[in-house]
Amino acid sequence: MHVPDPLWMPVRAALVACAALFPLHPVHALQAADYQRAERVHDSHLRGALRNASVVPNWLADGRFWYEREDALGRRQAVLVDPARAARQVLFEPAALDSAVAPLGASGPRLRLANIQLTGDGLQLRFSGEMPIDCQWPRWHCVRSQGAMAAADALPSPAGDAWLQVRDNNLWLQSPATPARALTTGGEAGHGYGVLPDFSLRGIPRRQGRMPVRPFAVGWSADGRYVAGIRFDERALQDYPYLESSPGNGARPRLHTVKLGLLGDSQQVRDSLYVVDSRSGRQHDIALPEGWNTLAEAGILGWDGDRLYAAIAHFGAPRRLRLVEIEAASGAVRTVLEEASETRMQLNVYSYNRPAVAILPGQDTAVWFSQRDGRGHLYRVRLSDGKLLRQLTRGPWVVRDLLGVDAAGGWVYFSAGGVDAGDPYVRGLYRVSLQGGPIQRLAADGNDHMADAGTSTLFGGRPARAVSPRGDYLVDTVSSLTQPPRTVLRASDSGREVLLLEAADNHAVVAAGWRPPRRERLLAADGHTPVFATVYLPRDYRDDGRFPVIDAMYGGSFVSNAPVTYAEAVSALNPVSRASLAELGFVVVSIDARGTGGRDRTFHDSSFLQGADVQLDDHVAALRQLGQRYPGIDLQRVGIYGHSFGGYSAARALLRYPAFYKVGVASAGSHNFQGMYGGAVHGMDRLFAGVLPATAMADGVPAPFAGLDNAALAGNLRGHLMLVYGELDENAPPALTLQLAAALNQAQRGYDLLYLARQDHELFRNDATYTHRMWDYFVRHLAGQQPPDTLLAPLPGGPG
């Protein structure tokens, strides 16, 4: 009989314990080649690899439109589309442009198409670049443009005959035939006109001159006479310091400061409206009622002649939202309508999308978005008295975006999710009569239908372009997780496909080894609310219970982040690395849980006063269900990572569920709310609890947020946690990560800390060191393997 050596028994027991914690994967240990394969499918490397994935039409007065595309070599082309003839043609090949501009001493590859206009005998193409150039088409005769041309940081008038720029904190007006002149007066540092405010979280690059932008929160009236916008006053805010420890041009650390009001500060950003007559120069600065602020993401909602419309809000309890009318000539303000809520007030089911509101000139009518019935639907209201005329859409689903209104024909075009009780995140295209009645399905077949809805003021304020000005056509990009995008032109009366515009070229994506994820419907922790997940499987996945699972989470209440389209899944906004981690042998899952946007009001409001806690409850429940659905998943080895609110959520997952989540990587985490930006303009209090009175403060922490501070749970940490921060991150200041680190030190908990010099909030997309260390962390601590000794290539847009 064999008698075991007593000296060997403790070692053997330890090995057995390790084997139970990290079951050995039967395939080979990870090699450099595995990291190289993962690198090829990283989102940053595939950004732009999916050519012609969407089309943004530029409509001409005769009903045609043009758009830009890339040829097989990545060179820009312009395409002219004639919907009436169901025809498209490329306006020029790169070689033809080179030949046409060579006599002018210009180079085609260095030119950028700025605009196309109708002329008597064809089109005029205007290019910007080394010099402004006008080319006549189809004769293809090019000359140097006469007069000045709007710069990239200028805001053109509707007719394109003038433009605005910001100089010395004021708006300046210029046209090709006249010199620039100051349009506004009284602008100063911290209180300018059209100036990008520090709460935009780009104060450092703006001060360094690295971020030229068009005038911010500014718009023209339809006839080009008036200019109106929002003016932000940051003068009373305290300075917030950032220390650049390793400047690229010296050894002495450099101090940067921006204006930032934290939660609980007595002084926060203030705002007001203004309108200026571009002809007379008459200026009206319009103060808002006490306690009211503009809805910053909404900006100017629209114009009806010389009357403009905007949304203002009061974020106390209850929350209130008003549609106001302003007479441009006098500056007089009138309330059109008011809504109230105990939680959030917004004009789209996604907080930062363009408001689903349209002002219809000459009709005394607005199409208005409201969640008053608990969903998110469109209503027709009368502007003269605010009367609700009719509810245009209704049902157990939500309107996603307002795409356009054909006022003459009497139709409203919109996208919506969940109309047929399917996946609520998959969009269909619909229209409804302004007179009411049933909605008409234009494109809804289980694929996602993305039509351009424009952007909110915070992201440029561009109007929607999907629907033609005459209301007879719309442009639709069709996709799914497995189907690359196809962009088609549809007849707006029936949804009939008129013309294929583009079929996205995914050859580079496939050649890189990228594989589509899967979509799953699950249940929330309450046992009955449907939630949805997107699952990336390893290429060698099998049902043997040996595959660790990683929860790729964002956690913010403003968006959803589990992809439903091919383009989103190939190169996501946040988080990234999902396909890469799957290549390294992990099952990677993103879940849109209760508290995120895009669904009904109750679903979204789960995060009001709760932060990400309800989401994490749902994530744990969903992962357990996936463990039953995919027997290859090892629920004893669960990791999580995320960036920004995802960084907060990843750390909080290990602190709230220490027995479930074993490994986490939290980058740029917003780990406590009291260290975040506050106030009614862009504050976390507005988004998660409503603006707080001074009495809500307790020991310097807003009372509703005290329990959401990750530091309060520091003693719960049991697993492996890596905290990551960039020293110039204005979105999630480095202090938030370091304050959590201090709490972990106080609790004598072990953790890892990665500091990235000169990095800002983009580190998760563009920093190879972060990416490499994050992969290594999961390979070592979750898979139980030794990472290979290899390097990753620099990622596009990384720090200097």
Side-chain angles (χ1 to χ4, degrees):
M1 179 173 127
H2 173 69
V3 179
D5 184 343
L7 296 177
W8 166 248
M9 292 180 66
V11 177
R12 183 176 182 273
L15 290 176
V16 170
C18 287
L21 182 60
F22 298 122
L24 295 178
H25 203 286
V27 299
H28 68 280
L30 288 171
Q31 306 294 322
D34 298 302
Y35 267 50
Q36 291 164 5
R37 192 174 65 247
E39 191 175 9
R40 287 194 293 270
V41 297
H42 189 270
D43 306 66
S44 294
H45 288 301
L46 293 183
R47 190 173 302 132
L50 185 65
R51 296 193 190 280
N52 304 313
S54 62
V55 167
V56 178
N58 300 275
W59 298 94
L60 301 174
D62 63 358
R64 294 181 292 173
F65 68 89
W66 63 274
Y67 67 91
E68 287 191 279
R69 69 181 305 277
E70 290 186 5
D71 67 12
L73 298 178
R75 298 171 300 187
R76 304 299 298 176
Q77 295 177 320
V79 177
L80 180 67
V81 179
D82 187 339
R85 294 176 52 242
R88 69 185 286 279
Q89 65 184 123
V90 175
L91 288 177
F92 60 85
E93 296 290 349
L97 178 62
D98 284 344
S99 298
V101 300
L104 304 176
S107 170
R110 297 182 181 179
L111 297 177
R112 180 78 182 190
L113 181 60
N115 194 19
I116 296 180
Q117 294 181 327
L118 294 171
T119 61
D121 58 351
L123 301 174
Q124 176 182 277
L125 283 65
R126 171 156 289 188
F127 294 90
S128 61
E130 300 168 313
M131 63 184 76
I133 292 176
D134 292 333
C135 295
Q136 296 299 317
W137 184 91
R139 291 186 294 114
W140 209 232
H141 173 64
C142 298
V143 298
R144 295 191 180 192
S145 302
Q146 299 300 309
M149 183 176 180
D153 62 349
L155 180 66
S157 65
D161 57 354
W163 58 87
L164 296 169
Q165 284 180 286
V166 176
R167 299 184 189 176
D168 300 324
N169 299 297
N170 279 294
L171 291 174
W172 286 64
L173 179 66
Q174 188 174 354
S175 68
T178 60
R181 63 180 175 88
L183 184 62
T184 64
T185 59
E188 59 179 290
H191 194 210
Y193 293 90
V195 176
L196 191 71
D198 281 1
F199 76 73
S200 68
L201 312 177
R202 295 296 181 269
I204 294 173
R206 178 176 68 82
R207 284 167 171 76
Q208 294 175 330
R210 295 189 288 113
M211 192 176 178
V213 293
R214 288 183 169 185
F216 182 75
V218 180
W220 292 84
S221 62
D223 61 4
R225 176 172 180 177
Y226 294 102
V227 171
I230 307 172
R231 188 181 184 193
F232 301 98
D233 187 353
E234 299 182 306
R235 292 172 297 178
L237 302 185
Q238 297 183 51
D239 287 340
Y240 195 95
Y242 288 84
L243 186 65
E244 186 178 2
S245 299
S246 305
N249 57 356
R252 185 181 298 277
R254 181 180 305 163
L255 181 68
H256 303 273
T257 59
V258 297
K259 293 290 187 179
L260 185 65
L262 302 184
L263 263 71
D265 282 0
S266 59
Q267 296 295 330
Q268 299 288 0
V269 181
R270 300 182 63 84
D271 56 355
S272 59
L273 293 159
Y274 64 90
V275 59
V276 188
D277 188 330
S278 66
R279 298 176 187 172
S280 68
R282 188 174 184 183
Q283 175 178 328
H284 297 287
D285 289 300
I286 302 160
L288 300 178
E290 183 66 29
W292 290 78
N293 297 85
T294 59
L295 198 64
E297 61 269 25
I300 303 302
L301 292 171
W303 293 78
D304 186 358
D306 61 357
R307 297 186 302 276
L308 65 111
Y309 296 87
I312 64 174
H314 190 291
F315 293 105
R319 264 52 71 181
R320 289 178 287 164
L321 178 69
R322 288 178 182 170
L323 174 64
V324 297
E325 176 189 272
I326 301 171
E327 289 282 353
S330 65
V333 181
R334 178 179 69 87
T335 296
V336 176
L337 62 86
E338 180 176 313
E339 294 198 8
S341 167
E342 294 301 319
T343 54
R344 297 183 172 102
M345 296 297 303
Q346 54 194 62
L347 293 176
N348 191 295
V349 289
Y350 289 116
S351 307
Y352 293 147
N353 278 23
R354 185 176 178 86
V357 174
I359 306 299
L360 308 187
Q363 298 207 7
D364 192 23
T365 290
V367 175
W368 180 253
F369 174 88
S370 174
Q371 293 180 301
R372 64 178 66 190
D373 70 351
R375 300 287 177 174
H377 282 296
L378 300 177
Y379 298 77
R380 183 177 179 182
V381 300
R382 191 158 58 204
L383 291 172
S384 54
D385 59 7
K387 181 180 179 181
L388 173 63
L389 299 176
R390 61 185 54 86
Q391 183 171 351
L392 297 175
T393 65
R394 67 178 68 245
W397 47 273
V398 300
V399 169
R400 285 282 296 271
D401 285 301
L402 178 61
L403 304 175
V405 180
D406 173 16
W411 291 99
V412 179
Y413 296 87
F414 62 95
S415 62
V419 173
D420 298 310
D423 189 328
Y425 301 95
V426 174
R427 292 164 289 191
L429 303 183
Y430 306 86
R431 72 173 185 171
V432 66
S433 170
L434 278 168
Q435 302 306 314
I439 65 171
Q440 180 181 344
R441 179 183 287 101
L442 301 177
D445 53 11
N447 294 311
D448 184 76
H449 293 266
M450 189 278 291
D452 181 73
T455 60
S456 74
T457 294
L458 295 176
F459 299 98
R462 181 175 60 76
R465 297 183 186 173
V467 181
S468 65
R470 300 175 183 177
D472 45 0
Y473 297 97
L474 62 87
V475 175
D476 169 23
T477 297
V478 190
S479 179
S480 71
L481 288 175
T482 58
Q483 175 189 312
R486 294 176 65 252
T487 301
V488 301
L489 181 69
R490 296 188 184 278
S492 64
D493 59 350
S494 64
R496 174 179 57 88
E497 186 174 318
V498 174
L499 179 65
L500 173 65
L501 299 175
E502 295 291 340
D505 180 357
N506 71 331
H507 288 92
V509 174
V510 173
W514 186 87
R515 295 167 298 109
R518 300 184 183 186
R519 189 74 171 161
E520 298 290 347
R521 179 186 176 117
L522 305 160
L523 290 179
D526 63 7
H528 62 81
T529 303
V531 296
F532 292 79
T534 302
V535 181
Y536 293 74
L537 294 176
R539 64 176 59 247
D540 62 344
Y541 172 83
R542 55 192 176 278
D543 291 336
D544 62 1
R546 297 297 186 91
F547 290 86
V549 60
I550 298 177
D551 187 349
M553 185 175 181
Y554 173 61
S557 67
F558 342 105
V559 300
S560 52
N561 74 319
V564 297
T565 71
Y566 195 92
E568 290 172 327
V570 166
S571 184
L573 289 176
N574 188 5
V576 300
S577 268
R578 287 177 275 203
S580 298
L581 288 167
E583 290 294 336
L584 297 179
F586 301 98
V587 175
V588 185
V589 181
S590 282
I591 304 160
D592 287 323
R594 290 175 298 163
T596 55
R599 301 274 291 273
D600 60 78
R601 165 169 263 171
T602 298
F603 189 96
H604 190 195
D605 282 348
S606 297
S607 56
F608 200 75
L609 294 174
Q610 301 296 323
D613 284 357
V614 174
Q615 290 185 55
L616 285 170
D617 296 342
D618 287 354
H619 278 235
V620 172
L623 287 169
R624 286 174 173 155
Q625 294 167 61
L626 287 172
Q628 297 176 343
R629 196 169 298 180
Y630 291 88
I633 290 177
D634 179 3
L635 286 179
Q636 297 305 309
R637 294 187 292 165
V638 181
I640 185 169
Y641 76 103
H643 183 82
S644 194
F645 267 106
Y648 168 81
S649 304
R652 195 163 186 83
L654 269 71
L655 299 174
R656 286 192 72 233
Y657 285 97
F660 187 79
Y661 288 102
K662 307 297 174 51
V663 182
V665 176
S667 57
S670 47
H671 296 294
N672 65 64
F673 286 82
Q674 62 269 21
M676 294 287 282
Y677 18 95
V681 174
H682 194 228
M684 294 298 99
D685 41 357
R686 169 201 147 175
L687 295 171
F688 285 99
V691 174
L692 305 168
T695 55
M697 297 295 292
D699 298 325
V701 180
F705 293 124
L708 300 181
D709 186 344
N710 280 343
L713 302 177
N716 291 351
L717 181 62
R718 295 295 181 270
H720 295 276
L721 174 63
M722 181 166 72
L723 304 175
V724 186
Y725 73 97
E727 66 181 358
L728 298 182
D729 188 340
E730 296 180 58
N731 293 67
L736 303 182
T737 294
L738 297 178
Q739 287 161 11
L740 176 57
L744 292 169
N745 292 343
Q746 182 72 23
Q748 299 184 40
R749 299 288 92 193
Y751 62 95
D752 294 278
L753 184 66
L754 176 60
Y755 148 81
L756 296 170
R758 301 190 301 280
Q759 262 293 10
D760 58 18
H761 204 59
E762 291 297 297
L763 68 90
F764 73 119
R765 293 192 185 101
N766 64 24
D767 197 293
T769 297
Y770 160 75
T771 301
H772 197 175
R773 290 284 299 275
M774 187 259 284
W775 294 358
D776 284 354
Y777 207 72
F778 285 122
V779 167
R780 179 177 291 112
H781 297 297
L782 198 62
Q785 297 191 39
Q786 180 64 31
D789 184 10
T790 185
L791 297 176
L792 301 187
L795 295 177

